[in-house]
Amino acid sequence: MKILHTADWHLGRIYHGVSLLEDQAHVLDELVALVRAERPDAVLISGDVYDRSVPPSDAVALLDDTLTRLVIGEGVPTLLIAGNHDSPERLGFGSRLLEQAGLTMRGSLDAALTPVVLRDAHGEVAFYPLPYAEPSVSRHCLADDSIADHHAALRVQLERVRSTHDESRRSVVLAHAFVTGGTASESERPLSVGGTGAVGAEVFDGIDFVALGHLHRPQAMRDGRINYSGSLLKYSFAEADHEKSVSLIEIGADGAARTRRIALRPRRDLRILTGTLAEIVSGAERDPGRDDYVLARITDTGAILDAMSKLRAAYPNALSIERPQLAGSGTGAASGADHRKISMEQLFSTFYQEMTGLELDASATELLHGEIAAQAGEEREAV
Ligand SMILES: [Mn+2]
């Protein structure tokens, strides 16, 4: 059985004020073309299809169009679950009707845990789509008071899956979770406030292949039996070094899974450039990726007037500027000290040092002393 696994599309995402919808549409065209070329038996989408529980209408239209092309156009059965960014009820609308057309959408958790069964030359494969749910929702839906966290919620679901699973079939689970040992990025929203929200990999024991969403870096565990396809695009500058891909999995007659990652070519890359503003701007001439989304880490120490306009003249889609030199090391003498107990001179020189990384020189110190003395004189007169 050949499966295409993807997740974390985050349709409608806005990053630094810019809608990524055109970039998402571009890369989804590529995904549909890949399905046409590879002819998988199923497409799995493991949650966070939208970026928000109430997605913008053009994001809804893009999902509608993409799913229609996959299911009707290419005739490939497609399974989709809700992630923590999705609204279960909205995503689940019409799902019983759509299931008859070959599209399985599981928004809300259903205690029945009914599998979708597909067949290939080696026999049947049961797919269990387990949508993301808050632990309190799982506790209520599964009627099990022992469920206090995500680990217990999935442990109980997988116990029930194993107890009813027909052993003559191979098994695939779709879930949206943070499995212990996984590497997180910056753009995932934590699943639990206070706790880790993590799920032990052992809850999936006995399942032939687990298609996960949530972590945005492509990664696998347990010899590839547990797979994160990763997100559709780079959704934060912390992911600048990721290579985004979809996973193509072959499940053999014995249930063994072999995974290939197929890189996606975005319309615009998301990159970090480091150097002085002048270096970055002059480098743009020879840069084939001038339309990329850029974060410039500028190493200049002096003041720069209107740095963003200068940067955008070279990189029109530049999103942000960082000035690490000015960020402040926080190691100054008065750092963390009670600001009410330190002198004005000390406070100012520490601030200057934290902002620039340099000590106040003699002439600046003299100027500062003069200003402070003059200020004190004015205050005395005012009293
Ligand atoms: Mn996500």
Side-chain angles (χ1 to χ4, degrees):
M1 171 112 359
K2 189 172 183 177
I3 294 166
L4 187 140
H5 172 208
T6 174
D8 295 274
W9 289 4
H10 288 269
L11 300 183
R13 179 160 169 86
I14 291 168
Y15 191 50
H16 285 281
V18 174
S19 165
L20 300 178
L21 202 79
E22 277 183 47
D23 302 271
Q24 294 171 327
H26 176 95
V27 87
L28 286 174
D29 274 345
E30 211 178 313
L31 187 144
V32 173
L34 182 66
V35 167
R36 188 173 307 138
E38 292 283 346
R39 312 294 328 154
D41 298 296
V43 171
L44 312 182
I45 309 167
S46 302
D48 283 358
V49 282
Y50 292 126
D51 194 52
R52 295 179 253 160
S53 57
V54 184
S57 57
D58 48 6
V60 177
L62 178 57
L63 181 66
D64 182 56
D65 183 55
T66 305
L67 292 176
T68 304
R69 289 165 75 190
L70 290 173
V71 178
I72 307 296
E74 303 305 324
V76 179
T78 297
L79 290 81
L80 183 162
I81 56 168
N84 58 311
H85 283 248
D86 300 307
S87 157
E89 295 78 13
R90 287 194 179 86
L91 203 62
F93 172 81
S95 55
R96 278 168 295 178
L97 296 171
L98 295 167
E99 193 134 0
Q100 298 179 27
L103 176 63
T104 302
M105 291 220 277
R106 298 278 164 88
S108 306
L109 182 59
D110 178 354
L113 303 172
T114 318
V116 173
V117 179
L118 299 176
R119 100 185 326 282
D120 67 3
H122 305 298
E124 290 181 330
V125 179
F127 293 81
Y128 297 90
L130 308 179
Y132 175 84
E134 294 297 329
S136 58
V137 173
S138 302
R139 180 165 59 239
H140 178 74
C141 172
L142 302 166
D144 185 328
D145 287 336
S146 76
I147 296 174
D149 54 20
H150 289 289
H151 176 80
L154 273 174
R155 178 178 50 74
V156 168
Q157 288 174 67
L158 267 298
E159 278 165 6
R160 294 191 189 176
V161 163
R162 274 187 293 266
S163 70
T164 57
H165 179 67
D166 174 349
E167 285 300 330
S168 70
R169 294 166 169 166
R170 288 158 288 166
S171 54
V172 173
V173 162
L174 284 80
H176 192 87
F178 183 0
V179 171
T180 307
T183 307
S185 305
E186 190 186 76
S187 54
E188 298 117 1
R189 184 192 297 160
L191 299 181
S192 162
V193 177
T196 63
V199 171
E202 71 278 5
V203 303
F204 300 109
D205 281 354
I207 303 299
D208 291 317
F209 182 72
V210 183
L212 291 176
H214 183 56
L215 296 181
H216 288 183
R217 183 190 286 277
Q219 54 198 294
M221 298 166 191
R222 306 237 165 163
D223 297 327
R225 226 168 39 72
I226 296 179
N227 187 59
Y228 282 99
S229 64
S231 58
L232 194 63
L233 290 170
K234 299 176 184 181
Y235 286 130
S236 75
F237 284 112
E239 297 169 43
D241 69 334
H242 291 193
E243 186 172 44
K244 298 301 185 180
S245 56
V246 295
S247 304
L248 269 176
I249 299 100
E250 291 271 5
I251 300 180
D254 58 353
R258 271 191 317 120
T259 303
R260 272 189 296 150
R261 297 196 191 280
I262 313 285
L264 297 172
R265 309 247 159 272
R267 187 174 68 135
R268 300 183 186 118
D269 201 358
L270 194 98
R271 291 190 292 150
I272 301 174
L273 303 175
T274 306
T276 64
L277 183 60
E279 286 165 358
I280 291 172
V281 166
S282 68
E285 258 173 64
R286 307 176 298 281
D287 189 344
R290 287 188 65 166
D291 286 330
D292 288 349
Y293 295 119
V294 161
L295 160 67
R297 288 215 170 110
I298 295 179
T299 55
D300 304 73
T301 49
I304 303 175
L305 206 60
D306 210 1
M308 192 47 119
S309 310
K310 287 173 183 154
L311 179 63
R312 284 201 172 138
Y315 288 97
N317 297 307
L319 296 182
S320 181
I321 289 178
E322 277 178 11
R323 303 194 64 180
Q325 255 74 3
L326 305 189
S329 57
T331 55
S335 243
D338 186 340
H339 64 88
R340 289 163 302 188
K341 291 180 185 156
I342 58 176
S343 70
M344 182 75 94
E345 285 89 342
Q346 204 183 349
L347 192 63
F348 190 87
S349 66
T350 304
F351 176 72
Y352 183 86
Q353 195 186 346
E354 288 187 354
M355 285 294 131
T356 64
L358 304 169
E359 298 277 352
L360 271 182
D361 62 23
S363 67
T365 307
E366 199 177 316
L367 194 66
L368 176 65
H369 283 315
E371 279 299 318
I372 290 169
Q375 196 74 35
E378 272 174 35
E379 274 171 24
R380 266 195 304 277
E381 273 167 35
V383 170

